[in-house]
Amino acid sequence: ALEKKVKSKLGEKVGLPCCHEIESSDSLHNYRVYWQKNTMEVVLAYAEGKEISKDKRYVNRAEMDDRNFTLWISPVEILDSGPYQCVVQHLRSSQNPSVVCDETVTLFVTADFSKPNITTRVTEISCESTEMVVTCSSYGGFPKPEISGTLNNESVVWNVSWVSESSLSPYSVTGTLQLNVTKDVSFTCSVESNGFTKSTSLLLKKTNDCIVPVVPPSYNVITASSIIIIIFLLAISLAARYLSRHVCSRCCKPQDSVEEGVKECTKTPMSSKVTSETSSV
């Protein structure tokens, strides 16, 4: 038996071909047709021109072409993935039907992932760098995807987790990454599944937070400054008093009594006395 492959996207209509076609001179009444999945589950069966069996999963979703026996499924589900076998018997005689076709075709159902969503969470900020956790997520796709990323066109390694109810259920994928951003950089996250890729880009900016906080002076600094100012003011005051006394002492020397001091201070200078005497002569 030959094996064929057919791909379809979730929700579309897909046709699985069989290996035999009825000639114009022949009739469906002369055939038995069996469409089986996984060689055991009968999807549907025809005998003598009538449908005699159909799996409940395919009720209102599957039908067969009565000329070339193509099995049509719509809308296709992820659970429809797998190998299907078309077996055709010709009823030349009811006692000895002959097999004219036995072929397997494998159906691959895919589902598109959502456009990746990138989020960031800043964990630490400094003047030199910004540390952040970058998360990239996508959902609703099949089969199991691969996630990748680039930082300024250089590959990065993700911490990846997948979530799915079963091996034949849509997947959700999440990747996390810790970055130390020292400058603005371009970041891209890509999700690839079954040859299809979806990407999202984001500009990661370094947070500028380099303002140095003003720290108020401590109590000891304030106390020391106050003492220095007080000592400085006292020194100025004492210097002023000293200078005033020194100037007074130069014009009036202290005597034993106030009267003598007055006389001494009012005594006529010698030069003046000589001048007077000379004038009287």
Side-chain angles (χ1 to χ4, degrees), residues 91-103:
L91 303 177
R92 290 185 173 88
S93 65
S94 58
Q95 290 77 20
N96 188 26
S98 61
V99 177
V100 296
C101 173
D102 185 349
E103 184 177 68

Side-chain angles (χ1 to χ4, degrees), residues 33-97:
V33 182
Y34 301 92
W35 270 104
Q36 302 173 150
K37 185 182 179 189
N38 298 321
T39 69
M40 296 181 64
E41 305 171 17
V42 177
V43 177
L44 60 77
Y46 272 76
E48 299 179 352
K50 296 180 181 179
E51 182 181 294
I52 61 174
S53 176
K54 179 179 285 188
D55 188 279
K56 61 182 180 180
R57 281 198 61 249
Y58 295 90
V59 173
N60 299 323
R61 289 200 310 120
E63 59 183 11
M64 189 187 74
D65 189 291
D66 58 5
R67 299 305 298 178
N68 58 19
F69 306 132
T70 296
L71 177 64
W72 291 97
I73 304 175
S74 177
V76 69
E77 301 174 354
I78 293 177
L79 287 176
D80 296 333
S81 299
Y84 291 77
Q85 185 180 13
C86 178
V87 180
V88 180
Q89 295 177 341
H90 193 275
L91 303 177
R92 290 185 173 88
S93 65
S94 58
Q95 290 77 20
N96 188 26

Side-chain angles (χ1 to χ4, degrees), residues 113-121 133-141 144-149 157-164 170-177 187 189-192:
F113 279 87
S114 64
K115 186 176 182 180
N117 181 43
I118 302 175
T119 59
T120 60
R121 177 172 59 87
V133 176
V134 181
T135 302
C136 179
S137 59
S138 183
Y139 60 90
K144 187 177 180 179
E146 295 293 334
I147 186 170
S148 60
V157 179
W158 289 97
N159 182 14
V160 187
S161 61
W162 295 269
V163 176
S164 180
Y171 283 87
S172 294
V173 59
T174 301
T176 57
L177 183 68
F187 183 81
C189 173
S190 300
V191 175
E192 187 272 333

Side-chain angles (χ1 to χ4, degrees), residues 2-246:
L2 299 176
E3 183 178 355
K4 296 182 179 179
K5 296 180 180 180
V6 175
K7 291 184 179 181
S8 176
K9 286 189 177 182
L10 179 67
E12 294 183 346
K13 183 176 183 179
V14 62
L16 304 181
C18 189
C19 50
H20 188 77
E21 184 173 354
I22 299 177
E23 297 180 359
S24 59
S25 59
D26 207 346
S27 171
L28 182 61
H29 291 79
N30 298 324
Y31 290 87
R32 290 177 184 171
V33 182
Y34 301 92
W35 270 104
Q36 302 173 150
K37 185 182 179 189
N38 298 321
T39 69
M40 296 181 64
E41 305 171 17
V42 177
V43 177
L44 60 77
Y46 272 76
E48 299 179 352
K50 296 180 181 179
E51 182 181 294
I52 61 174
S53 176
K54 179 179 285 188
D55 188 279
K56 61 182 180 180
R57 281 198 61 249
Y58 295 90
V59 173
N60 299 323
R61 289 200 310 120
E63 59 183 11
M64 189 187 74
D65 189 291
D66 58 5
R67 299 305 298 178
N68 58 19
F69 306 132
T70 296
L71 177 64
W72 291 97
I73 304 175
S74 177
V76 69
E77 301 174 354
I78 293 177
L79 287 176
D80 296 333
S81 299
Y84 291 77
Q85 185 180 13
C86 178
V87 180
V88 180
Q89 295 177 341
H90 193 275
L91 303 177
R92 290 185 173 88
S93 65
S94 58
Q95 290 77 20
N96 188 26
S98 61
V99 177
V100 296
C101 173
D102 185 349
E103 184 177 68
T104 299
V105 55
T106 302
L107 175 61
F108 294 93
V109 180
T110 64
D112 290 339
F113 279 87
S114 64
K115 186 176 182 180
N117 181 43
I118 302 175
T119 59
T120 60
R121 177 172 59 87
V122 176
T123 57
E124 187 174 346
I125 301 175
S126 67
C127 290
E128 293 77 20
S129 64
T130 299
E131 293 187 7
M132 63 178 66
V133 176
V134 181
T135 302
C136 179
S137 59
S138 183
Y139 60 90
F142 187 85
K144 187 177 180 179
E146 295 293 334
I147 186 170
S148 60
T150 59
L151 190 65
N152 282 350
N153 297 322
E154 294 185 5
S155 298
V156 293
V157 179
W158 289 97
N159 182 14
V160 187
S161 61
W162 295 269
V163 176
S164 180
E165 294 181 359
S166 69
S167 60
L168 291 176
S169 298
Y171 283 87
S172 294
V173 59
T174 301
T176 57
L177 183 68
Q178 291 186 339
L179 292 179
N180 188 9
V181 180
T182 58
K183 61 181 179 180
D184 295 351
V185 293
S186 176
F187 183 81
T188 299
C189 173
S190 300
V191 175
E192 187 272 333
S193 176
N194 197 41
F196 295 94
T197 303
K198 287 192 174 182
S199 301
T200 298
S201 297
L202 182 68
L203 179 63
L204 302 180
K205 293 187 176 182
K206 175 187 174 297
T207 303
N208 294 320
D209 189 14
C210 297
I211 300 175
V212 179
V214 178
V215 180
S218 63
Y219 177 77
N220 292 335
V221 173
I222 296 176
T223 303
S225 300
S226 300
I227 294 174
I228 292 173
I229 293 173
I230 292 173
I231 293 175
F232 179 73
L233 294 176
L234 289 174
I236 293 176
S237 177
L238 292 174
R241 293 181 63 183
Y242 173 77
L243 289 174
S244 62
R245 288 184 178 183
H246 181 70

